[in-house]
Amino acid sequence: MSRQISSLLAIAAVCVTLAPAPAFAAPKEEPVDCEQVKCIALTFDDGPSKYAGTLLDTLKKHDAKATFFLEGQYVKSRPQYVKRMVAEGHELGNHSYSHPDFTKSDAATIKSEIQKTQDAVKKAAGVEPRLLRPPYGLADLQVSDIAAEFGMPIILWTAGSKDWSTKDVDAIQKQTLAVAEPNGIILMHDWVKQTVDGMASLIKTLKNKGYHLVTVSDVIKSQELKPGDAFPTPEGWES
Ligand code: NI
């Protein structure tokens, strides 16, 4: 070995020795195993609404994760909230661009509604939703086929908060607690001001009952859904 090479090797060895230890990554949150602990997924449809910022503040303060089924037209007008949702660890779903009933729409309309929303979210936050919740939770075989083309399962809900009809902080809280169950998926709306107003109190109560507030993907992990599958299975669907 020439002296030049051996000294180069020596330098290399020193470099390896002196190479800084990898910086400690920010402490990662322990992944929650929803088969082992009590989980619940709060989902917010039709947004981002004008209250999304307040809702995100509350979720952050109380260390709760949620899933937002976004409407493309509002993603376009309020992209800053979508960016925050991703940065703060929430999950995004596609809830169409302008909220038509997919079971009364033709295939081209459905595809365009989904694609435009995927594009708007990508533009706002650099990611694409991987879950579809059709408007009104209405889906049929055609919707399922199109969801499959987009590689997305259809996510409905196990129970509703009825927030859009009661618009009352106490009623929303009472209803949500009455239907809360392990691995439940709860339908809420961030455009209902009372939902956002009562969120801190609701989160505290759910946590006191032992719930971890997680994303939809966390609670459906064990379902092994395929693109086009719907969960929970709608009435009249073959499972
Ligand atoms: Ni909706």
Side-chain angles (χ1 to χ4, degrees):
M1 194 183 289
S2 78
R3 189 193 283 173
Q4 200 176 4
I5 289 175
S6 67
S7 57
L8 278 176
L9 284 173
I11 290 166
V14 169
C15 288
V16 168
T17 314
L18 297 182
F24 282 104
K28 271 212 162 166
E29 287 167 53
E30 285 284 308
V32 177
D33 182 351
C34 295
E35 287 189 82
Q36 301 295 327
V37 301
K38 245 167 113 177
C39 289
I40 195 161
L42 301 184
T43 67
F44 299 95
D45 281 18
D46 309 339
S49 82
K50 61 181 176 182
Y51 307 121
T54 309
L55 176 58
L56 286 168
D57 290 344
T58 303
L59 293 171
K60 189 175 188 181
K61 187 173 171 194
H62 296 277
D63 192 26
K65 299 291 181 263
T67 302
F68 292 86
F69 288 95
L70 301 170
E71 221 174 296
Q73 59 176 329
Y74 301 122
V75 172
K76 200 175 168 189
S77 57
R78 301 186 182 103
Q80 71 278 18
Y81 295 141
V82 182
K83 208 170 173 180
R84 262 193 79 183
M85 286 166 188
V86 172
E88 293 171 16
H90 304 295
E91 184 164 31
L92 305 184
N94 187 318
H95 192 52
S96 84
Y97 195 84
S98 59
H99 216 271
D101 179 346
F102 277 3
T103 64
K104 296 191 171 79
S105 305
D106 59 32
T109 302
I110 299 169
K111 286 181 194 179
S112 152
E113 284 276 330
I114 296 173
Q115 187 62 57
K116 277 164 66 184
T117 300
Q118 294 296 93
D119 293 346
V121 173
K122 183 98 189 264
K123 193 176 172 199
V127 299
E128 288 194 0
R130 295 164 72 180
L131 308 173
L132 177 68
R133 176 175 283 169
Y136 315 102
L138 295 174
D140 55 16
L141 197 58
Q142 174 175 249
V143 177
S144 166
D145 285 346
I146 295 171
E149 280 178 38
F150 280 90
M152 295 193 269
I154 295 169
I155 302 298
L156 305 173
W157 49 86
T158 62
S161 63
K162 299 185 179 165
D163 57 348
W164 58 272
S165 68
T166 62
K167 292 193 178 148
D168 177 87
V169 170
D170 290 338
I172 294 165
Q173 178 143 335
K174 207 171 161 192
Q175 166 66 15
T176 304
L177 293 170
V179 297
E181 59 177 337
N183 291 333
I185 299 173
I186 307 294
L187 171 65
M188 312 189 95
H189 300 84
D190 71 356
W191 53 264
V192 178
K193 185 177 181 294
Q194 295 82 358
T195 294
V196 177
D197 287 346
M199 193 49 56
S201 162
L202 179 64
I203 293 171
K204 279 186 218 161
T205 309
L206 285 169
K207 285 193 168 185
N208 283 339
K209 289 176 178 293
Y211 283 104
H212 295 251
L213 282 87
V214 300
T215 64
V216 164
S217 282
D218 289 323
V219 301
I220 62 169
K221 209 165 276 172
S222 62
Q223 303 293 332
E224 297 180 356
L225 298 177
K226 292 186 292 292
D229 284 354
F231 182 83
T233 310
E235 247 174 81
W237 282 45
E238 299 277 313
S239 59

